[in-house]
Amino acid sequence: MDHLDQLEAQSIYIFREAFGRLKKIALLWSLGKDSNVMIWLARKAFFGRLPFPALHVDTGKKFPEMYRFRDHYGKEWELDLRVEPCPPIDAVDPTLPPAARSAARKTEGLKMALAKYGFDGLIAGIRRDEEATRAKERVFSPRGLEGNWDVRDQPPEFWDHFNASPPQGAHLRIHPILHWTEADIWAYTKRENIPIIPLYLAKDGKRYRSLGDQDITNPVASTASTIDEILAELEQTKVPERAGRALDHETEDAFERLRVAGYL
Amino acid sequence: MNMIVTPASPATPNGTTRPQVRIVIVGHVDHGKSTLVGRLLHETGSLPDGKLEMLKAVSARRGMPFEWSFLLDALQTERDQGITIDTTQIRFRTNSRDIVLIDAPGHAEFLRNMITGASQADGAVLIIDALEGVRDQTRRHGYLLHLLGVKQVAIVVNKMDRVDFSAERFAEISDEISAHLNGLGVTPTAIIPISARDGDGVAERTDRISWYKGPTVVEALDRLEPARPLEALALRLPVQAIYKFDDRRIVAGRIESGSLIAGDEIVIMPAGKIAKIKTVESWPVTPIAGRQGAGRSVGITLDRELFLERGDIIAHATAAPRETRRLRARIFWLHDKPLAKGDQILVRSGPKESRASVVAIEKAVDPGELESRENKAIGRNHVGEIDISLSSPIAVDSYTENPRTGRLVIEVSGRIAGGGLVLSVDAGQRAVPVDIVPVESALRPDERSARYRHNGAVVWLTGLPASGKSTLAKALERRLFTNGGSPILLDGDTLRAGLNGDLGFSTADRSENIRRLAEVATHLARNGHIAIVAAVSPAREDRATARRIADIAFREIHVATPAEVCEGRDPKGHYKKARAGALASFTGIGNDYERPEAAELVIDTSTRTVAEAADEIEQMLKATGVLFDEIVDLAANI
């Protein structure tokens, strides 16, 4: 077993635990490279199908390429796709800095979708290496009744035993690719031939390393126009993956405040 | 469309073949873990651009001196409180290793985070403040590393600048921590003097530690070995789920150890049903050929429709796990409410869950204390050994047999409350496996008995220590052999050296010892031999079990030598030790020997010679139809 095989086996194990131990789960599909790998892994776990809904909480501000990708592959992969809208910006905490406030719409949209369907588990494609607060996550991460995350009081999690009994009315976030890195995602995408959105590949000296909403995501300088070139670039770079995400850099604690409130 | 393919092995990520090693840095609060991590990232050139400058700017804004530990303390709350809250995973590289560093917090309150981090680690760095020395949390973390199975531990003695880089102080701490870890069976891979703040000993040996000749921290990390897959052990595939998405019935799970391939004959435990693996299913291509090894998440189909469920264990029929409702475990406890005798808990062993109750707390200590005081209950952050009785049978291995399937987790009210290692399994309450058909010997019992001139039997000698059981057993063995028979001696102590080496002297372990003796002896008896068992076997219940197992072949002899005579002999010095209180659970000086009430023979060795006693046994064996020397008129005994 090589490194990618090990990552894959671990993620499949997590998917099967989530499906087996929770009553009503959904996968959060943000259309980006990570959640596409996640869908692929789920299909490996369940022999070709996704036996629960794929939920896209739509801010309405994604790139057109992303919407095209969603509509095409949602059909091709036979997903039970649920697109859920987000509330307008006025409904969001005005004390947050602008980019974080824009991102927080997604948190509210997520809460609305949770209330609508009553999911007890949401599968999310966050990774430990993306960002320092995500590094502190559990694989099965309980969320309070408000969808909030209490970083100070997280249950112990060891030997692949997960706390899968959220309190009545609360839900769990499940993170099947928490242990993957950005390079792992690309190496696996290449090996498995998983379709990608072309925005990740360099055009005119720029490419997106991470895709969010158009108004708060910027490309990075790059000449990497194939996955192999992306991998070579990642070997060399010291620029963090989310450098193009405005909300990470507004204030020291903006991202953490978002996460504590229930942001991914 | 079905095509068989073997999954290709692509190159490792980034086109490298560098082993990845996961490490955890543990130790007492404030001994400098985060500082060491920050320094390591800097020394190995692993920091993202701008990170150091950003943190220096943040420190300046707050009017504080820059601290290396800020690198990890990304959360606002942590900077406010000055403590690390949770496990952070960070990657960097040494010459030949990709290191994934799990920063485990040292604050006592956050032990569960340390366990969460350390349970994923292949190796550990245990950090000690040179001025403060070994503290309770240092010892506690050392003990937990041992419980979690982390065997590669490097010791770092930090803040050497605070003790003027004194070689004597370093030697003192080295000796103290080595003694503690050696007591747990852990040998440190290195002991390194450093100053994480200034960089001495981290990536280079500076003049200030010129007296130190060992590896730097980076060099020590470079020598760690990644975890080895467990392919060499017996197959264990715990069933996670059974899927029926289409016309296939797929049994899904992760191979924890061993390997499998289509066509293998397997047994499903605890039920003991036998089947063959028909296919190994996959996606996008299915079925797949080739052997699947430990670590893989697989899906298999079987050649027959059997009832199985989540939590069952699939093994090869020749090396199945034992099925049990009783086990002993060494655990660590994380719950606020101490674990006490009689508590109702939920035990998880892989995907299997079973309600259980705590039958006994054998040990309960705070691993942080130098003098381990024995407690009645296992408190939060303490460790202990417990006996568990399960409400339904589970298939499980002891930790020494299989580190993956020999561990369990305990839940209380839906939350993980502790975990630990299975020390021993008491398979006393066995279910008869449905499909296990023992292979018959090629010889019929009467063929053997015609040659040996006796039937098979289990001659069971019970009595106090030093009552003369072994002496009698050996005399009987010699005599039967001289007469052309086939006697085999099974001494309780002899089996404890090998087959029963996993058993201690608790009530449960003694029962299991007797059960195994009886099973082995009965197998010999069924094949025409006379198994002579010499064992104290003080519990009437255990001897009744032995009689049930051996059935009509069982002959019980009570060696009823008076207790004071036995103590007077004391050939092994056990009575003396027991009187001095140095030998726990010793039968003889208490009232714990339960005399047999219906033994086939009672012998007092203080009133007859060994030869006379052997005669009496021989007479009994003739009279009860074991020996053929005289024509036995069976009717006369009715």
Side-chain angles (χ1 to χ4, degrees):
Chain A
M1 279 183 77
D2 69 13
H3 177 70
L4 291 179
D5 293 334
Q6 286 172 18
L7 291 171
E8 175 187 276
Q10 177 71 6
S11 298
I12 290 173
Y13 187 84
I14 294 165
F15 265 114
R16 288 175 178 168
E17 280 305 282
F19 186 53
R21 290 192 61 190
L22 295 166
K23 288 184 205 64
K24 196 171 181 189
I25 60 175
L27 179 143
L28 292 168
W29 190 27
S30 68
L31 322 176
K33 63 186 190 302
D34 303 307
S35 54
N36 293 339
V37 161
M38 214 165 51
I39 289 182
W40 197 264
L41 289 164
R43 293 170 79 196
K44 289 234 180 194
F46 307 114
F47 304 95
R49 61 191 50 68
L50 197 70
F52 36 77
L55 185 64
H56 178 217
V57 178
D58 190 4
T59 53
K61 295 175 158 186
K62 300 282 177 212
F63 294 85
E65 291 90 336
M66 295 172 81
Y67 289 120
R68 280 203 295 277
F69 187 92
R70 179 187 77 188
D71 297 341
H72 179 86
Y73 287 104
K75 276 200 197 63
E76 182 165 311
W77 294 340
E78 297 176 345
L79 303 181
D80 172 6
L81 178 61
R82 317 272 175 97
V83 177
E84 298 297 323
C86 297
I89 191 83
D90 322 336
V92 179
D93 179 0
T95 70
L96 283 167
R101 191 174 176 200
S102 174
R105 285 180 61 227
K106 198 153 79 171
T107 313
E108 291 307 313
L110 195 58
K111 285 183 190 167
M112 285 158 59
L114 265 172
K116 177 172 165 186
Y117 295 110
F119 294 119
D120 59 353
L122 287 175
I123 298 169
I126 66 163
R127 305 191 328 264
R128 282 205 169 102
D129 73 324
E130 286 179 288
E131 196 280 328
T133 61
R134 286 183 178 175
K136 295 175 186 294
E137 270 289 7
R138 298 288 195 254
V139 177
F140 277 50
S141 179
R143 287 296 190 273
L145 296 173
E146 284 297 298
N148 50 336
W149 178 51
D150 186 354
V151 65
R152 275 175 224 75
D153 181 30
Q154 296 199 75
E157 191 176 74
F158 49 91
W159 299 337
D160 292 336
H161 282 272
F162 308 114
N163 291 276
S165 319
Q168 194 60 40
H171 77 282
L172 283 164
R173 294 280 173 82
I174 296 121
H175 304 131
I177 56 168
L178 197 60
H179 51 298
W180 292 52
T181 65
E182 187 180 7
D184 294 333
I185 292 286
W186 283 119
Y188 189 75
T189 299
K190 175 173 178 257
R191 173 177 116 174
E192 300 288 322
N193 212 357
I194 301 170
I196 59 165
I197 293 175
L199 294 169
Y200 287 115
L201 303 174
K203 228 171 83 179
D204 309 324
K206 285 190 181 314
R207 73 176 192 91
Y208 287 89
R209 264 179 84 181
S210 170
L211 287 173
D213 287 359
Q214 286 191 69
D215 58 338
I216 53 172
T217 312
N218 299 306
V220 293
S222 166
T223 56
S225 60
T226 65
I227 295 185
D228 280 332
E229 286 169 3
I230 290 178
L231 285 167
E233 180 186 88
L234 293 180
E235 277 280 277
Q236 299 306 321
T237 187
K238 287 194 174 186
V239 177
E241 181 179 5
R242 295 178 62 91
R245 294 292 192 104
L247 71 93
D248 292 27
H249 314 289
E250 284 176 319
T251 61
E252 231 180 287
D253 62 346
F255 195 73
E256 187 204 339
R257 283 178 61 195
L258 276 175
R259 295 215 74 232
V260 166
Y263 188 77
L264 294 180
Chain B
M1 186 181 109
N2 270 3
M3 48 184 284
I4 303 262
V5 294
T6 309
S9 284
T12 52
N14 319 345
T16 65
T17 51
R18 301 159 55 86
Q20 187 188 72
V21 183
R22 287 165 306 179
I23 63 159
V24 65
I25 301 192
V26 296
H28 199 81
V29 66
D30 289 337
H31 283 198
K33 286 186 295 293
S34 299
T35 307
L36 174 62
V37 173
R39 175 59 78 166
L40 275 169
L41 292 173
H42 174 65
E43 298 282 356
T44 54
S46 314
L47 291 176
D49 282 347
K51 190 82 184 177
L52 200 56
E53 291 67 28
M54 183 194 108
L55 285 163
K56 285 183 169 162
V58 168
S59 304
R61 263 209 307 277
R62 296 178 179 217
M64 294 161 70
F66 167 72
E67 294 276 353
W68 283 102
S69 55
F70 288 173
L71 278 171
L72 297 181
D73 301 347
L75 294 181
Q76 185 87 33
T77 46
E78 293 185 346
R79 292 203 206 117
D80 291 345
Q81 297 178 26
I83 49 172
T84 314
I85 287 201
D86 208 332
T87 299
T88 306
Q89 306 211 357
I90 294 201
R91 289 151 204 274
F92 65 92
R93 292 176 162 202
T94 60
N95 276 339
S96 63
R97 298 276 185 274
D98 284 346
I99 305 276
V100 178
L101 192 139
I102 306 161
D103 178 42
H107 207 266
E109 226 177 298
F110 301 127
L111 204 70
R112 62 175 184 243
N113 298 327
M114 177 254 159
I115 284 169
T116 300
S119 69
Q120 308 162 50
D122 307 315
V125 174
L126 178 60
I127 193 163
I128 304 170
D129 181 323
L131 192 63
E132 293 200 351
V134 176
R135 296 281 308 276
D136 57 342
Q137 201 67 319
T138 318
R139 280 188 289 268
R140 205 170 278 135
H141 282 186
Y143 200 104
L144 287 167
L145 289 174
H146 145 73
L147 263 184
L148 290 164
V150 181
K151 292 195 174 57
Q152 307 179 84
V153 183
I155 310 290
V156 167
V157 180
N158 187 26
K159 306 192 191 179
M160 286 298 294
D161 48 300
R162 293 176 66 194
V163 296
D164 295 329
F165 295 91
S166 152
E168 290 72 28
R169 178 63 184 148
F170 173 73
E172 238 170 66
I173 293 175
S174 299
D175 292 346
E176 187 180 357
I177 192 66
S178 296
H180 175 67
L181 291 177
N182 291 342
L184 301 169
V186 176
T187 311
T189 54
I191 305 184
I192 311 161
I194 67 159
S195 164
R197 200 190 57 191
D198 303 342
D200 309 72
V202 179
E204 54 187 316
R205 284 176 212 70
T206 55
D207 289 346
R208 301 196 289 187
I209 50 168
S210 56
W211 43 265
Y212 171 73
K213 302 294 178 233
T216 61
V217 178
V218 173
E219 285 165 351
L221 294 179
D222 203 47
R223 295 176 189 175
L224 293 172
E225 289 298 324
R228 302 224 171 285
L230 303 147
E231 300 228 357
L233 295 173
L235 170 68
R236 295 290 182 263
L237 171 60
V239 176
Q240 243 183 310
I242 293 97
Y243 297 130
K244 215 167 167 347
F245 296 124
D246 44 39
D247 57 356
R248 295 169 298 175
R249 187 160 167 268
I250 300 175
V251 182
R254 182 173 57 191
I255 303 173
E256 296 295 339
S257 63
S259 65
L260 58 81
I261 190 165
D264 277 1
E265 182 154 283
I266 50 117
V267 59
I268 296 149
M269 294 298 287
K273 298 189 180 97
I274 300 269
K276 268 202 172 70
I277 298 176
K278 191 164 72 177
T279 58
V280 179
E281 299 292 330
S282 181
W283 181 83
V285 182
T286 199
I288 48 174
R291 185 161 283 283
Q292 305 293 313
R296 286 203 186 265
S297 287
V298 296
I300 60 174
T301 61
L302 302 177
D303 70 338
R304 63 196 72 174
E305 285 274 328
L306 289 173
F307 174 76
L308 36 63
E309 56 185 342
R310 180 179 158 92
D312 286 350
I313 295 210
I314 289 177
H316 285 128
T318 46
R322 273 170 303 170
E323 176 257 6
T324 184
R325 294 174 63 153
R326 283 292 289 274
L327 47 86
R328 148 109 22 137
R330 181 178 298 143
I331 62 154
F332 51 85
W333 194 244
L334 303 166
H335 204 267
D336 297 338
K337 183 175 166 288
L339 182 71
K341 184 178 168 175
D343 280 1
Q344 299 300 305
I345 53 176
L346 185 81
V347 169
R348 291 189 180 279
S349 162
K352 176 76 180 180
E353 57 178 78
S354 171
R355 305 223 152 276
S357 66
V358 179
V359 180
I361 305 270
E362 295 287 343
K363 252 196 204 147
V365 294
D366 175 356
E369 289 178 1
L370 265 176
E371 301 300 320
S372 58
R373 278 177 305 140
E374 286 284 329
N375 301 312
K376 281 268 180 284
I378 304 176
R380 183 179 158 161
N381 298 341
H382 292 188
V383 298
E385 287 182 17
I386 60 174
D387 281 339
I388 304 171
S389 167
L390 300 145
S391 65
S392 57
I394 67 167
V396 73
D397 296 292
S398 76
Y399 174 75
T400 47
E401 289 167 329
N402 192 316
R404 297 287 296 198
T405 50
R407 57 196 190 185
L408 47 85
V409 159
I410 297 172
E411 263 185 31
V412 173
S413 355
R415 203 166 154 139
I416 291 174
L421 313 176
V422 177
L423 296 178
S424 63
V425 175
D426 171 20
Q429 312 184 30
R430 57 180 191 163
V432 178
V434 182
D435 290 329
I436 293 181
V437 182
V439 175
E440 291 286 336
S441 163
L443 303 174
R444 292 193 317 274
D446 60 329
E447 290 180 87
R448 292 188 204 265
S449 57
R451 174 179 297 182
Y452 301 144
R453 304 189 50 70
H454 61 64
N455 284 317
V458 174
V459 178
W460 194 280
L461 295 140
T462 169
L464 290 171
S467 57
K469 297 182 303 298
S470 296
T471 310
L472 276 185
K474 283 191 274 198
L476 178 66
E477 185 184 29
R478 170 61 59 190
R479 186 171 295 199
L480 293 173
F481 182 76
T482 307
N483 294 341
S486 179
I488 297 174
L489 178 65
L490 289 175
D491 187 275
D493 286 348
T494 315
L495 284 199
R496 277 187 176 276
L499 176 65
N500 295 350
D502 58 321
L503 300 175
F505 289 89
S506 66
T507 311
D509 277 11
R510 293 185 113 174
S511 297
E512 175 62 7
N513 185 44
I514 298 303
R515 189 191 70 80
R516 290 186 202 171
L517 270 172
E519 287 282 3
V520 173
T522 303
H523 180 73
L524 293 169
R526 285 199 186 124
N527 284 286
H529 309 285
I530 293 180
I532 306 167
V533 180
V536 177
S537 42
R540 194 172 291 133
E541 178 60 33
D542 292 347
R543 292 194 306 268
T545 301
R547 189 181 282 271
R548 264 199 308 278
I549 292 168
D551 204 19
I552 57 167
F554 199 73
R555 303 287 181 275
E556 187 175 30
I557 299 170
H558 179 202
V559 186
T561 311
E564 57 278 10
V565 177
C566 297
E567 186 160 359
R569 293 177 180 168
D570 203 13
K572 298 178 185 170
H574 286 164
Y575 281 91
K576 210 162 140 209
K577 273 193 205 156
R579 288 271 177 227
L583 201 59
S585 60
F586 175 76
T587 305
I589 58 173
N591 297 324
D592 44 5
Y593 182 80
E594 299 171 341
R595 303 171 67 87
E597 282 165 6
E600 275 78 6
L601 184 64
V602 180
I603 298 179
D604 177 351
T605 60
S606 65
T607 56
R608 39 172 82 57
T609 64
V610 174
E612 285 167 347
D615 284 343
E616 284 181 60
I617 298 174
E618 229 180 340
Q619 288 305 324
M620 181 271 286
L621 292 177
K622 285 173 186 169
T624 58
V626 176
L627 296 179
F628 291 179
D629 275 39
E630 293 167 17
I631 306 296
V632 179
D633 180 2
L634 286 175
N637 292 323
I638 294 171

